[in-house]
Amino acid sequence: MDHILEMLSPLLVAATALGIGGWIFNNWLRMRHGYPLENSWGKAVYPRDNGEAQARVQLITQENAQLRAEIGAIKDRLASVERIVTDQGYDVARQIESLREARHDARREVTQ
């Protein structure tokens, strides 16, 4: 009898490991494709639906919406600044200002 158990023990270990590996793989596939997990009686197990988790999700959703709105406003402001800077009128104003500074510097040299 002991001889039979010694011969079957590697087979039992392999079968147990294969069963556990298959169970893990099955659960991984179920989670990946959005199916609920099952308990030991085959009944579907869903995540707990408590008020605290829902409140947290709602707060995060509101914060996300506020941040998206803020980013949209920043993008609009940046587009306006880019339009002003690349506008030729801005360049002309800068050139006029540099000419005024040059004229002011020239007057200062003459008075000295």
Side-chain angles (χ1 to χ4, degrees), residues 8-109:
L8 290 178
S9 63
L11 182 62
L12 291 174
V13 169
T16 303
L18 188 62
I20 292 172
W23 176 76
I24 291 172
F25 182 71
N26 180 36
N27 285 338
W28 175 77
L29 280 176
R30 286 176 140 310
M31 287 188 303
R32 181 172 179 184
H33 295 290
Y35 292 102
L37 298 178
E38 295 176 352
N39 64 9
S40 59
W41 296 99
K43 191 173 183 180
V45 177
Y46 293 95
R48 289 194 179 126
D49 191 21
N50 60 9
E52 182 182 330
Q54 286 180 345
R56 190 177 319 132
V57 167
Q58 186 177 7
L59 287 173
I60 290 172
T61 303
Q62 289 174 353
E63 182 184 13
N64 191 10
Q66 290 172 350
L67 291 174
R68 286 181 181 270
E70 189 175 335
I71 287 175
I74 290 171
K75 283 181 179 179
D76 292 342
R77 291 175 65 190
L78 181 61
S80 298
V81 169
E82 286 176 345
R83 232 182 352 262
I84 290 170
V85 170
T86 58
D87 188 19
Q88 289 192 3
Y90 177 79
D91 189 41
V92 170
R94 192 170 48 88
Q95 290 174 359
I96 291 171
E97 193 60 37
S98 67
L99 289 173
R100 283 184 184 153
E101 289 174 4
R103 186 174 66 175
H104 181 68
D105 291 341
R107 283 186 185 167
R108 189 179 293 170
E109 288 178 6

XYZ file of all heavy atoms in Angstrom, residues 8-109:
814
model
N 1.800 7.386 -6.539
C 0.737 8.310 -6.889
C 0.947 9.729 -6.348
O 0.295 10.660 -6.806
C -0.610 7.780 -6.380
C -1.163 6.547 -7.083
C -2.465 6.119 -6.437
C -1.374 6.827 -8.559
N 1.833 9.919 -5.380
C 2.003 11.236 -4.777
C 2.429 12.307 -5.791
O 1.878 13.407 -5.765
C 2.954 11.177 -3.585
O 4.230 10.778 -3.986
N 3.378 12.039 -6.717
C 3.691 13.082 -7.707
C 2.491 13.410 -8.603
O 2.269 14.565 -8.963
C 4.831 12.496 -8.534
C 5.402 11.406 -7.713
C 4.287 10.920 -6.840
N 1.699 12.381 -8.905
C 0.520 12.594 -9.726
C -0.517 13.447 -8.983
O -1.127 14.347 -9.560
C -0.085 11.249 -10.135
C -1.312 11.312 -11.042
C -0.954 11.973 -12.367
C -1.884 9.932 -11.252
N -0.699 13.189 -7.684
C -1.631 13.971 -6.881
C -1.173 15.425 -6.741
O -1.974 16.360 -6.822
C -1.814 13.341 -5.500
C -2.545 11.999 -5.456
C -2.517 11.422 -4.062
C -3.967 12.191 -5.950
N 0.120 15.626 -6.553
C 0.670 16.985 -6.447
C 0.478 17.726 -7.768
O 0.055 18.880 -7.794
C 2.155 16.947 -6.031
C 2.806 18.310 -6.167
C 2.297 16.427 -4.604
N 0.758 17.063 -8.877
C 0.599 17.687 -10.188
C -0.862 18.016 -10.464
O -1.188 19.094 -10.980
C 1.153 16.778 -11.275
N -1.768 17.115 -10.103
C -3.195 17.351 -10.332
C -3.686 18.512 -9.478
O -4.474 19.354 -9.937
C -3.996 16.091 -10.030
N -3.226 18.597 -8.239
C -3.610 19.701 -7.361
C -3.094 21.024 -7.913
O -3.821 22.024 -7.968
C -3.070 19.467 -5.935
O -3.556 18.214 -5.459
C -3.495 20.573 -4.997
N -1.829 21.062 -8.325
C -1.249 22.289 -8.885
C -1.976 22.700 -10.158
O -2.247 23.893 -10.381
C 0.239 22.084 -9.161
N -2.315 21.722 -10.984
C -3.037 22.012 -12.226
C -4.434 22.567 -11.926
O -4.888 23.520 -12.574
C -3.125 20.751 -13.085
C -3.692 20.924 -14.493
C -2.812 21.856 -15.307
C -3.800 19.571 -15.164
N -5.102 22.007 -10.937
C -6.429 22.498 -10.561
C -6.388 23.914 -10.033
O -7.210 24.764 -10.403
N -5.421 24.220 -9.174
C -5.288 25.571 -8.626
C -4.910 26.547 -9.736
O -5.452 27.655 -9.827
C -4.256 25.592 -7.481
C -4.807 24.817 -6.290
C -3.911 27.021 -7.084
C -3.796 24.608 -5.173
N -3.981 26.158 -10.613
C -3.594 27.021 -11.736
C -4.769 27.303 -12.660
O -4.962 28.431 -13.118
N -5.581 26.283 -12.926
C -6.762 26.482 -13.767
C -7.772 27.401 -13.119
O -8.396 28.238 -13.783
N -7.948 27.292 -11.804
C -8.872 28.164 -11.079
C -8.407 29.622 -11.144
O -9.193 30.524 -11.394
C -8.960 27.687 -9.626
C -9.803 28.557 -8.764
C -11.159 28.628 -8.727
C -9.327 29.499 -7.815
N -11.557 29.558 -7.802
C -10.437 30.113 -7.218
C -8.053 29.878 -7.394
C -10.321 31.082 -6.243
C -7.939 30.848 -6.410
C -9.066 31.433 -5.859
N -7.096 29.847 -10.966
C -6.542 31.197 -11.044
C -6.712 31.760 -12.454
O -7.120 32.905 -12.639
C -5.057 31.204 -10.613
C -4.960 30.922 -9.113
C -4.383 32.521 -10.960
C -3.543 30.720 -8.618
N -6.410 30.967 -13.454
C -6.552 31.418 -14.841
C -8.009 31.740 -15.174
O -8.299 32.745 -15.818
C -5.999 30.350 -15.791
C -6.048 30.746 -17.238
C -5.210 31.727 -17.725
C -6.950 30.147 -18.107
C -5.251 32.107 -19.063
C -7.007 30.518 -19.440
C -6.153 31.496 -19.914
N -8.941 30.898 -14.708
C -10.363 31.121 -14.940
C -10.808 32.448 -14.318
O -11.501 33.242 -14.954
C -11.174 29.962 -14.365
C -12.654 30.146 -14.569
O -13.086 30.661 -15.590
N -13.439 29.727 -13.595
N -10.392 32.717 -13.083
C -10.762 33.964 -12.422
C -10.139 35.163 -13.119
O -10.755 36.218 -13.237
C -10.367 33.929 -10.948
C -11.299 33.070 -10.146
O -12.436 32.825 -10.540
N -10.821 32.584 -9.013
N -8.915 35.018 -13.585
C -8.260 36.109 -14.302
C -9.029 36.442 -15.587
O -9.255 37.606 -15.901
C -6.819 35.722 -14.615
C -6.108 36.746 -15.448
C -5.602 37.935 -15.022
C -5.832 36.664 -16.845
N -5.022 38.606 -16.072
C -5.156 37.843 -17.215
C -6.087 35.712 -17.821
C -4.735 38.084 -18.505
C -5.668 35.959 -19.098
C -5.004 37.134 -19.439
N -9.425 35.403 -16.325
C -10.203 35.625 -17.545
C -11.538 36.293 -17.237
O -11.974 37.206 -17.948
C -10.448 34.307 -18.280
C -9.313 33.783 -19.136
C -9.682 32.417 -19.709
C -8.975 34.740 -20.248
N -12.209 35.852 -16.189
C -13.497 36.435 -15.818
C -13.336 37.917 -15.474
O -14.128 38.743 -15.899
C -14.089 35.688 -14.622
C -14.632 34.322 -14.978
C -15.097 33.642 -13.704
N -16.302 32.892 -13.743
C -17.485 33.244 -14.213
N -17.643 34.399 -14.723
N -18.509 32.444 -14.179
N -12.315 38.253 -14.699
C -12.102 39.652 -14.325
C -11.735 40.485 -15.542
O -12.191 41.622 -15.691
C -10.988 39.751 -13.266
C -11.414 39.273 -11.907
S -10.209 39.582 -10.606
C -8.760 38.754 -11.198
N -10.924 39.949 -16.403
C -10.478 40.695 -17.576
C -11.640 41.043 -18.501
O -11.666 42.119 -19.092
C -9.441 39.870 -18.333
C -8.919 40.593 -19.536
C -7.791 39.879 -20.159
N -7.370 40.642 -21.331
C -6.457 40.264 -22.160
N -5.821 39.137 -21.962
N -6.145 40.987 -23.200
N -12.603 40.155 -18.610
C -13.718 40.369 -19.522
C -14.969 40.895 -18.829
O -16.029 40.979 -19.435
C -14.024 39.084 -20.295
C -12.887 38.686 -21.192
N -12.543 39.381 -22.314
C -11.997 37.664 -21.097
C -11.503 38.809 -22.883
N -11.144 37.763 -22.171
N -14.849 41.257 -17.546
C -15.939 41.910 -16.846
C -16.996 41.013 -16.265
O -18.055 41.491 -15.865
N -16.769 39.732 -16.195
C -17.735 38.821 -15.584
C -17.526 38.803 -14.072
O -16.403 38.956 -13.599
C -17.583 37.403 -16.136
C -17.973 37.277 -17.574
C -17.016 37.213 -18.577
C -19.309 37.231 -17.932
C -17.373 37.105 -19.906
C -19.681 37.109 -19.260
C -18.709 37.055 -20.237
O -19.078 36.948 -21.540
N -18.596 38.600 -13.320
C -18.423 38.551 -11.864
C -17.710 37.271 -11.438
O -17.806 36.244 -12.112
C -19.854 38.578 -11.327
C -20.674 38.008 -12.433
C -19.997 38.444 -13.706
N -17.006 37.357 -10.331
C -16.373 36.162 -9.773
C -17.438 35.321 -9.086
O -18.539 35.786 -8.834
C -15.291 36.571 -8.788
C -14.129 37.372 -9.375
C -13.159 37.760 -8.265
C -13.414 36.592 -10.449
N -17.084 34.086 -8.767
C -18.033 33.184 -8.113
C -17.478 32.754 -6.767
O -16.273 32.584 -6.605
C -18.280 31.953 -8.985
C -18.959 32.263 -10.290
C -19.102 31.035 -11.181
O -18.529 29.977 -10.836
O -19.778 31.142 -12.201
N -18.387 32.553 -5.807
C -17.946 32.029 -4.520
C -17.857 30.512 -4.598
O -18.019 29.922 -5.670
C -18.865 32.505 -3.392
C -20.288 31.986 -3.533
O -20.575 31.135 -4.363
N -21.173 32.517 -2.709
N -17.626 29.870 -3.476
C -17.428 28.417 -3.487
C -18.685 27.642 -3.854
O -18.603 26.470 -4.214
C -16.915 27.951 -2.121
O -17.849 28.298 -1.117
N -19.865 28.279 -3.808
C -21.116 27.616 -4.156
C -21.559 27.954 -5.572
O -22.650 27.625 -5.989
C -22.217 28.003 -3.168
C -21.910 27.538 -1.794
C -21.374 28.276 -0.787
C -22.056 26.223 -1.292
N -21.192 27.514 0.317
C -21.611 26.239 0.040
C -22.515 25.034 -1.822
C -21.609 25.108 0.839
C -22.531 23.909 -1.019
C -22.075 23.949 0.290
N -20.732 28.673 -6.326
C -21.061 28.995 -7.705
C -21.937 30.230 -7.861
O -22.392 30.531 -8.953
N -22.152 30.955 -6.771
C -22.986 32.150 -6.821
C -22.110 33.353 -7.170
O -20.976 33.478 -6.691
C -23.648 32.352 -5.456
C -24.722 33.391 -5.457
C -25.439 33.398 -4.110
C -26.563 34.396 -4.156
N -27.282 34.449 -2.887
N -22.635 34.253 -8.011
C -21.865 35.419 -8.443
C -21.574 36.332 -7.257
O -22.427 36.585 -6.413
C -22.619 36.183 -9.517
N -20.345 36.824 -7.203
C -19.920 37.732 -6.146
C -19.606 39.072 -6.800
O -18.724 39.170 -7.644
C -18.660 37.191 -5.419
C -18.187 38.171 -4.364
C -18.945 35.844 -4.818
N -20.355 40.091 -6.415
C -20.145 41.432 -6.950
C -19.463 42.277 -5.880
O -19.592 42.006 -4.688
C -21.480 42.076 -7.332
C -22.155 41.390 -8.491
C -23.123 40.420 -8.289
C -21.808 41.703 -9.795
C -23.734 39.788 -9.345
C -22.413 41.074 -10.858
C -23.377 40.119 -10.633
O -23.978 39.494 -11.680
N -18.766 43.343 -6.291
C -18.175 44.230 -5.281
C -19.280 44.849 -4.419
O -20.391 45.062 -4.881
C -17.475 45.304 -6.113
C -17.382 44.771 -7.480
C -18.448 43.744 -7.631
N -18.939 45.132 -3.187
C -19.913 45.742 -2.287
C -20.277 47.127 -2.787
O -19.429 47.878 -3.249
C -19.340 45.828 -0.882
C -19.233 44.471 -0.253
C -18.985 44.593 1.229
N -18.915 43.265 1.795
C -17.907 42.829 2.517
N -16.917 43.615 2.794
N -17.914 41.602 2.971
N -21.529 47.447 -2.656
C -22.035 48.733 -3.124
C -22.436 49.554 -1.899
O -23.594 49.584 -1.516
C -23.236 48.509 -4.058
C -23.634 49.765 -4.779
O -22.802 50.683 -4.880
O -24.790 49.843 -5.228
N -21.453 50.211 -1.292
C -21.767 50.995 -0.108
C -21.806 52.486 -0.440
O -21.298 52.933 -1.454
C -20.778 50.705 1.027
C -19.352 51.029 0.638
O -19.089 51.614 -0.396
N -18.421 50.625 1.474
N -22.425 53.232 0.431
C -22.603 54.662 0.207
C -21.297 55.431 0.199
O -21.146 56.416 -0.525
N -20.326 54.988 1.002
C -19.051 55.701 1.075
C -18.312 55.637 -0.259
O -17.782 56.638 -0.735
C -18.182 55.100 2.178
C -16.853 55.805 2.361
C -16.010 55.143 3.440
O -16.592 54.568 4.382
O -14.771 55.216 3.318
N -18.296 54.484 -0.868
C -17.623 54.338 -2.159
C -18.331 55.171 -3.224
O -17.683 55.812 -4.059
C -17.573 52.875 -2.573
N -19.658 55.183 -3.201
C -20.402 55.986 -4.179
C -20.139 57.473 -3.979
O -19.987 58.222 -4.939
C -21.899 55.698 -4.074
C -22.301 54.372 -4.647
C -23.800 54.133 -4.517
O -24.485 54.817 -3.768
N -24.298 53.158 -5.251
N -20.080 57.921 -2.720
C -19.804 59.325 -2.439
C -18.408 59.702 -2.915
O -18.201 60.780 -3.493
C -19.946 59.599 -0.943
N -17.448 58.808 -2.714
C -16.078 59.067 -3.154
C -16.014 59.163 -4.683
O -15.369 60.056 -5.230
C -15.152 57.963 -2.640
C -13.695 58.292 -2.851
C -12.751 57.252 -2.282
N -13.172 56.746 -0.993
C -13.216 55.451 -0.691
N -12.869 54.541 -1.566
N -13.608 55.053 0.508
N -16.702 58.262 -5.362
C -16.726 58.297 -6.827
C -17.383 59.578 -7.315
O -16.915 60.211 -8.268
C -17.451 57.049 -7.385
C -17.762 57.203 -8.854
C -16.619 55.810 -7.148
N -18.460 60.007 -6.649
C -19.142 61.236 -7.050
C -18.233 62.448 -6.850
O -18.169 63.329 -7.719
C -20.428 61.404 -6.259
C -21.261 62.579 -6.725
C -22.571 62.676 -5.963
O -22.788 61.946 -5.002
N -23.432 63.565 -6.396
N -17.507 62.509 -5.729
C -16.589 63.622 -5.491
C -15.466 63.646 -6.531
O -15.109 64.712 -7.046
C -15.997 63.535 -4.086
C -16.934 63.885 -2.941
C -16.271 63.597 -1.597
C -17.348 65.343 -3.027
N -14.939 62.482 -6.831
C -13.865 62.410 -7.823
C -14.386 62.814 -9.201
O -13.701 63.510 -9.954
C -13.248 60.994 -7.843
C -12.467 60.760 -6.560
C -12.350 60.793 -9.055
C -11.978 59.341 -6.380
N -15.615 62.423 -9.529
C -16.207 62.796 -10.808
C -16.403 64.295 -10.896
O -16.123 64.915 -11.932
C -17.558 62.069 -10.990
O -17.335 60.660 -10.891
C -18.177 62.373 -12.333
N -16.875 64.919 -9.809
C -17.054 66.370 -9.803
C -15.722 67.086 -9.932
O -15.593 68.061 -10.688
C -17.759 66.806 -8.514
C -19.207 66.424 -8.455
C -19.823 66.738 -7.101
O -19.133 67.126 -6.168
N -21.131 66.557 -6.991
N -14.713 66.610 -9.208
C -13.392 67.228 -9.295
C -12.827 67.085 -10.703
O -12.235 68.020 -11.250
C -12.441 66.596 -8.283
C -11.064 67.229 -8.283
C -10.107 66.537 -7.339
O -10.416 65.432 -6.862
O -9.039 67.112 -7.088
N -13.046 65.936 -11.311
C -12.581 65.707 -12.676
C -13.235 66.693 -13.639
O -12.572 67.259 -14.513
C -12.882 64.267 -13.087
C -12.216 63.884 -14.372
O -11.377 64.599 -14.897
N -12.591 62.732 -14.895
N -14.540 66.916 -13.481
C -15.251 67.852 -14.347
C -14.722 69.273 -14.153
O -14.529 70.016 -15.127
C -16.742 67.800 -14.073
N -14.464 69.659 -12.899
C -13.924 70.997 -12.635
C -12.546 71.166 -13.256
O -12.247 72.204 -13.859
C -13.848 71.247 -11.127
C -15.188 71.410 -10.453
C -15.072 71.452 -8.944
O -14.015 71.174 -8.385
N -16.183 71.790 -8.292
N -11.712 70.155 -13.118
C -10.365 70.245 -13.687
C -10.405 70.292 -15.207
O -9.631 71.027 -15.837
C -9.515 69.060 -13.210
C -9.160 69.071 -11.718
C -8.450 67.778 -11.338
C -8.308 70.265 -11.370
N -11.313 69.543 -15.801
C -11.451 69.598 -17.266
C -11.898 70.980 -17.720
O -11.423 71.498 -18.728
C -12.423 68.534 -17.750
C -11.859 67.134 -17.714
C -12.876 66.122 -18.227
N -12.357 64.782 -18.163
C -11.686 64.196 -19.142
N -11.465 64.843 -20.265
N -11.240 62.966 -19.008
N -12.834 71.588 -16.987
C -13.294 72.931 -17.338
C -12.149 73.933 -17.192
O -11.971 74.821 -18.040
C -14.468 73.325 -16.450
N -11.363 73.783 -16.128
C -10.228 74.689 -15.916
C -9.190 74.536 -17.024
O -8.650 75.525 -17.527
C -9.599 74.396 -14.556
C -8.562 75.397 -14.136
C -8.058 75.129 -12.732
O -8.787 74.522 -11.938
O -6.921 75.548 -12.445
N -8.922 73.315 -17.425
C -7.968 73.085 -18.510
C -8.496 73.683 -19.811
O -7.742 74.280 -20.585
C -7.671 71.576 -18.666
C -6.800 71.110 -17.515
C -6.988 71.279 -19.995
C -6.544 69.620 -17.494
N -9.798 73.555 -20.056
C -10.380 74.161 -21.248
C -10.220 75.671 -21.243
O -9.878 76.282 -22.268
N -10.434 76.313 -20.079
C -10.269 77.763 -19.977
C -8.812 78.152 -20.197
O -8.516 79.146 -20.873
C -10.751 78.246 -18.611
N -7.891 77.366 -19.654
C -6.468 77.658 -19.836
C -6.080 77.519 -21.304
O -5.312 78.339 -21.830
C -5.616 76.731 -18.939
C -5.801 77.126 -17.474
C -4.144 76.788 -19.320
C -5.174 76.157 -16.494
N -6.616 76.509 -21.982
C -6.320 76.344 -23.408
C -6.835 77.541 -24.209
O -6.154 78.026 -25.117
C -6.951 75.054 -23.940
C -6.208 73.815 -23.556
C -6.880 72.586 -24.152
C -6.149 71.329 -23.818
N -6.812 70.140 -24.381
N -8.041 78.029 -23.876
C -8.585 79.199 -24.570
C -7.715 80.420 -24.339
O -7.432 81.188 -25.273
C -10.013 79.481 -24.107
C -10.991 78.408 -24.551
O -10.654 77.643 -25.479
O -12.086 78.341 -23.947
N -7.287 80.629 -23.093
C -6.432 81.787 -22.789
C -5.095 81.680 -23.509
O -4.575 82.672 -24.028
C -6.228 81.891 -21.290
C -7.504 82.286 -20.560
C -7.351 82.274 -19.081
N -6.397 83.283 -18.649
C -5.924 83.358 -17.422
N -6.309 82.482 -16.521
N -5.067 84.296 -17.095
N -4.535 80.486 -23.548
C -3.261 80.282 -24.231
C -3.408 80.553 -25.727
O -2.527 81.166 -26.342
C -2.746 78.872 -23.991
C -1.399 78.528 -24.632
C -0.310 79.435 -24.093
C -1.061 77.079 -24.381
N -4.510 80.119 -26.309
C -4.746 80.391 -27.737
C -4.831 81.893 -27.979
O -4.311 82.402 -28.980
C -6.018 79.691 -28.191
N -5.472 82.626 -27.066
C -5.569 84.084 -27.211
C -4.193 84.724 -27.126
O -3.853 85.607 -27.926
C -6.471 84.675 -26.123
O -7.771 84.183 -26.240
N -3.385 84.281 -26.174
C -2.032 84.827 -26.036
C -1.202 84.504 -27.271
O -0.463 85.360 -27.782
C -1.364 84.289 -24.756
C 0.119 84.630 -24.717
C -2.059 84.826 -23.521
N -1.317 83.304 -27.784
C -0.577 82.940 -28.999
C -1.009 83.799 -30.180
O -0.178 84.224 -30.987
C -0.795 81.463 -29.324
C -0.059 80.523 -28.406
C -0.366 79.066 -28.690
O -1.366 78.782 -29.401
O 0.376 78.211 -28.197
N -2.321 84.061 -30.285
C -2.804 84.910 -31.364
C -2.241 86.321 -31.242
O -1.837 86.932 -32.225
C -4.331 84.954 -31.321
C -4.988 84.633 -32.621
C -6.496 84.718 -32.637
N -7.193 84.918 -31.383
C -7.758 83.956 -30.653
N -7.680 82.707 -31.054
N -8.385 84.233 -29.539
N -2.188 86.851 -30.024
C -1.668 88.209 -29.817
C -0.194 88.276 -30.159
O 0.263 89.197 -30.835
C -1.915 88.650 -28.354
C -3.396 88.872 -28.126
C -1.133 89.916 -28.027
C -3.773 89.071 -26.670
N 0.559 87.283 -29.690
C 2.006 87.296 -29.903
C 2.354 87.105 -31.371
O 3.277 87.732 -31.888
C 2.681 86.220 -29.020
C 4.134 86.039 -29.388
C 2.544 86.598 -27.551
N 1.626 86.266 -32.073
C 1.945 86.018 -33.477
C 1.296 87.038 -34.406
O 1.591 87.051 -35.597
C 1.498 84.606 -33.892
O 0.098 84.462 -33.656
C 2.270 83.555 -33.117
N 0.428 87.878 -33.855
C -0.220 88.913 -34.660
C 0.819 89.939 -35.090
O 1.699 90.328 -34.337
C -1.323 89.587 -33.837
C -2.162 90.523 -34.682
O -2.134 90.389 -35.911
O -2.842 91.374 -34.090
N 0.736 90.416 -36.316
C 1.704 91.391 -36.810
C 1.572 92.722 -36.099
O 2.535 93.469 -35.986
C 1.540 91.584 -38.319
C 2.009 90.375 -39.091
C 2.127 90.670 -40.578
O 1.905 91.787 -41.003
N 2.480 89.667 -41.337
N 0.395 93.058 -35.596
C 0.215 94.300 -34.852
C 1.068 94.312 -33.597
O 1.620 95.343 -33.224
N 1.209 93.195 -32.957
C 2.056 93.106 -31.767
C 3.500 93.353 -32.161
O 4.230 94.061 -31.468
C 1.904 91.741 -31.111
C 2.792 91.547 -29.910
C 2.450 92.099 -28.681
C 3.980 90.828 -30.004
C 3.263 91.927 -27.580
C 4.794 90.655 -28.902
C 4.432 91.212 -27.688
O 5.246 91.043 -26.609
N 3.919 92.781 -33.282
C 5.294 92.971 -33.752
C 5.541 94.427 -34.107
O 6.591 94.976 -33.789
C 5.553 92.062 -34.961
C 7.019 92.044 -35.352
O 7.865 91.997 -34.435
O 7.298 92.075 -36.557
N 4.573 95.077 -34.742
C 4.712 96.493 -35.086
C 4.826 97.327 -33.817
O 5.660 98.237 -33.724
C 3.519 96.965 -35.961
C 3.513 98.469 -36.114
C 3.573 96.292 -37.318
N 3.996 97.028 -32.824
C 4.062 97.765 -31.563
C 5.429 97.592 -30.907
O 6.000 98.542 -30.356
C 2.956 97.298 -30.624
N 5.968 96.399 -30.978
C 7.299 96.162 -30.397
C 8.371 96.945 -31.154
O 9.278 97.522 -30.550
C 7.597 94.655 -30.436
C 8.810 94.266 -29.616
C 8.923 92.759 -29.472
N 8.784 92.033 -30.717
C 9.797 91.749 -31.544
N 11.016 92.136 -31.242
N 9.586 91.070 -32.642
N 8.261 97.001 -32.469
C 9.229 97.763 -33.267
C 9.138 99.255 -32.961
O 10.159 99.939 -32.836
C 9.002 97.505 -34.755
C 9.379 96.115 -35.201
C 9.004 95.838 -36.652
O 8.442 96.700 -37.322
N 9.299 94.634 -37.124
N 7.925 99.776 -32.824
C 7.751 101.192 -32.493
C 8.358 101.487 -31.132
O 9.051 102.502 -30.950
C 6.251 101.579 -32.530
C 5.740 101.542 -33.970
C 6.009 102.939 -31.900
C 4.237 101.696 -34.081
N 8.130 100.608 -30.186
C 8.678 100.812 -28.845
C 10.203 100.788 -28.877
O 10.853 101.586 -28.206
C 8.149 99.736 -27.901
C 8.378 100.013 -26.454
C 7.712 101.300 -25.989
O 6.609 101.621 -26.440
O 8.329 101.991 -25.151
N 10.795 99.911 -29.677
C 12.264 99.872 -29.762
C 12.795 101.139 -30.430
O 13.855 101.644 -30.054
C 12.734 98.627 -30.511
O 12.345 98.681 -31.869
N 12.063 101.692 -31.413
C 12.478 102.957 -32.021
C 12.398 104.102 -31.012
O 13.271 104.975 -30.986
C 11.619 103.267 -33.250
C 11.853 102.380 -34.471
C 10.817 102.689 -35.545
C 13.269 102.571 -35.004
N 11.365 104.117 -30.173
C 11.256 105.156 -29.146
C 12.422 105.074 -28.172
O 12.988 106.089 -27.773
C 9.941 104.995 -28.372
C 8.752 105.479 -29.123
C 7.513 105.388 -28.275
N 6.357 105.784 -29.056
C 5.123 105.367 -28.845
N 4.872 104.531 -27.847
N 4.134 105.785 -29.595
N 12.780 103.851 -27.781
C 13.907 103.694 -26.873
C 15.203 104.151 -27.525
O 16.034 104.795 -26.884
C 14.018 102.234 -26.430
C 12.920 101.796 -25.492
C 12.973 100.322 -25.174
O 13.921 99.642 -25.634
O 12.071 99.845 -24.474
N 15.373 103.837 -28.809
C 16.586 104.262 -29.518
C 16.632 105.787 -29.605
O 17.696 106.399 -29.418
C 16.624 103.651 -30.912
N 15.498 106.424 -29.885
C 15.451 107.889 -29.974
C 15.742 108.498 -28.603
O 16.483 109.480 -28.501
C 14.086 108.341 -30.475
C 14.019 109.839 -30.726
C 12.737 110.248 -31.341
N 11.654 110.005 -30.380
C 10.395 110.338 -30.566
N 10.028 110.886 -31.705
N 9.498 110.109 -29.649
N 15.208 107.903 -27.555
C 15.448 108.393 -26.205
C 16.927 108.265 -25.842
O 17.519 109.172 -25.260
C 14.573 107.614 -25.215
C 14.720 108.059 -23.800
N 14.285 109.292 -23.378
C 15.257 107.452 -22.712
C 14.536 109.429 -22.086
N 15.128 108.307 -21.663
N 17.545 107.145 -26.220
C 18.976 106.947 -25.964
C 19.808 107.947 -26.757
O 20.815 108.470 -26.263
C 19.387 105.512 -26.311
C 18.797 104.486 -25.359
O 18.389 104.905 -24.237
O 18.730 103.287 -25.711
N 19.392 108.263 -28.004
C 20.129 109.221 -28.828
C 20.047 110.616 -28.215
O 21.041 111.351 -28.202
C 19.570 109.231 -30.247
N 18.916 111.015 -27.716
C 18.770 112.321 -27.060
C 19.654 112.388 -25.810
O 20.253 113.430 -25.524
C 17.325 112.573 -26.654
C 16.453 112.962 -27.780
C 15.082 113.322 -27.262
N 14.171 113.605 -28.362
C 12.866 113.706 -28.225
N 12.304 113.541 -27.045
N 12.126 113.986 -29.256
N 19.729 111.306 -25.106
C 20.537 111.283 -23.890
C 22.022 111.488 -24.243
O 22.733 112.187 -23.546
C 20.339 109.948 -23.179
C 20.988 109.948 -21.801
C 20.802 108.673 -21.068
N 19.372 108.531 -20.762
C 18.829 107.429 -20.280
N 19.585 106.373 -20.083
N 17.562 107.355 -20.024
N 22.485 110.874 -25.345
C 23.876 111.027 -25.764
C 24.154 112.462 -26.190
O 25.230 112.992 -25.942
C 24.181 110.054 -26.904
C 24.259 108.621 -26.480
C 24.524 107.684 -27.637
O 24.767 108.176 -28.756
O 24.462 106.464 -27.435
